[in-house]
Amino acid sequence: MRRVLDLFSCAGGAGWGYHLAEFEVDGCDIADRPNYPFTYHRGDALEYLDRLTTTGDIDRYTLVHASPPCQAGCALTIGTNTSQGWGGTHQDLVTETRRLLDATGLPYVIEQPNGRAPIRKDISLCGEMFGLGVIRHRNFELGRWSTPTPAHRRHRGYVRGYRHGIYREGPYVAAYGEGGGKATVAEMQTAMGITWTDVHEELTEAIPPAYTRWIGTAFSTARQEVLV
């Protein structure tokens, strides 16, 4: 059975997608996540990864997925920080995450939103590719494996809500923030295919499981082709 280590797991959006792709899943996050639906370790994700590598316990995994906090490079956060006179206070964890992932010797995935995060955009996915009710663009760097990049489908309209003082209706909801026409908890659950948590903060940070289901399936196919 393939097994994935889900680092910076939050409530398990990525983990659930790998589960649907027939992986066993273990998660790690620094916060208490009682809604996480799989085996869970609470602690610093990078310290945990380093310890698993040092002890050799990392060898029980087939793949490592990491979604390090993105405030230092997220386009939305950068814009907000600039407008408010903030900025420059968020730590970039991507570089250190990659260094530790390289040390495992395993294939890996690093996920980040659009912005300035220093990752290769080997794959870019959005909700329209999977018929979801969110856009939620995400980029993925693939380490020690590769797969063809899927075509990005044209969006069908606007994300519902206010933008630059103008309210628009649209086929997608905004799964972040509150007010201004942004999605309710129930709307976010439906739009992203997440049913096991109703915590607003967890939903706003989650990626739709459809993304990692696609990645997990692509990884399994790529590894099988190598073996053949």
Side-chain angles (χ1 to χ4, degrees):
M1 184 70 175
R2 296 177 297 274
R3 193 175 198 93
V4 63
L5 176 61
D6 178 19
L7 298 172
F8 307 98
S9 60
C10 194
W16 192 262
Y18 286 112
H19 165 71
L20 294 176
E22 301 185 343
F23 283 75
E24 292 184 3
V25 181
D26 295 337
C28 177
D29 196 276
I30 200 165
D32 186 26
R33 300 292 184 186
N35 294 318
Y36 191 78
F38 310 107
T39 301
Y40 181 77
H41 173 83
R42 180 179 179 182
D44 183 282
L46 296 185
E47 290 180 1
Y48 186 57
L49 176 61
D50 188 42
R51 183 161 72 252
L52 289 175
T53 303
T54 300
T55 61
D57 290 335
I58 194 68
D59 293 340
R60 66 176 178 260
Y61 295 102
T62 314
L63 177 70
V64 183
H65 176 101
S67 298
C70 61
Q71 290 92 339
C74 173
L76 179 63
T77 305
I78 290 169
T80 301
N81 287 352
T82 300
S83 69
Q84 297 298 321
W86 306 335
T89 60
H90 295 295
Q91 182 181 5
D92 167 30
L93 295 179
V94 173
T95 301
E96 180 65 3
T97 297
R98 182 188 296 107
R99 185 186 73 80
L100 291 172
L101 289 171
D102 281 335
T104 68
L106 292 176
Y108 62 80
V109 178
I110 302 176
E111 176 264 325
Q112 290 284 280
N114 279 343
R116 302 175 188 171
I119 69 165
R120 294 191 316 272
K121 298 178 181 180
D122 296 323
I123 297 174
S124 295
L125 301 178
C126 91
E128 180 59 26
M129 296 177 175
F130 306 98
L132 302 180
V134 290
I135 293 296
R136 190 140 285 195
H137 291 111
R138 289 297 184 269
N139 302 306
F140 301 86
E141 177 177 321
L142 310 181
R144 294 194 178 85
W145 71 285
S146 63
T147 191
T149 300
H152 185 217
R153 295 182 182 179
R154 183 175 180 178
H155 300 167
R156 289 173 287 122
Y158 293 106
V159 176
R160 187 194 73 199
Y162 282 96
R163 186 167 180 83
H164 304 304
I166 299 173
Y167 183 86
R168 293 185 174 92
E169 291 289 349
Y172 314 104
V173 296
Y176 58 88
E178 296 181 89
K182 293 182 176 63
T184 64
V185 164
E187 287 175 328
M188 284 191 281
Q189 289 175 313
T190 300
M192 291 191 288
I194 295 176
T195 60
W196 60 91
T197 180
D198 60 0
V199 177
H200 185 273
E201 174 258 342
E202 292 181 344
L203 289 164
T204 60
E205 292 184 1
I207 64 171
Y211 293 11
T212 44
R213 183 178 189 176
W214 187 94
I215 290 171
T217 301
F219 171 79
S220 299
T221 301
R223 300 300 283 182
Q224 185 61 40
E225 289 175 350
V226 169
L227 291 174
V228 172

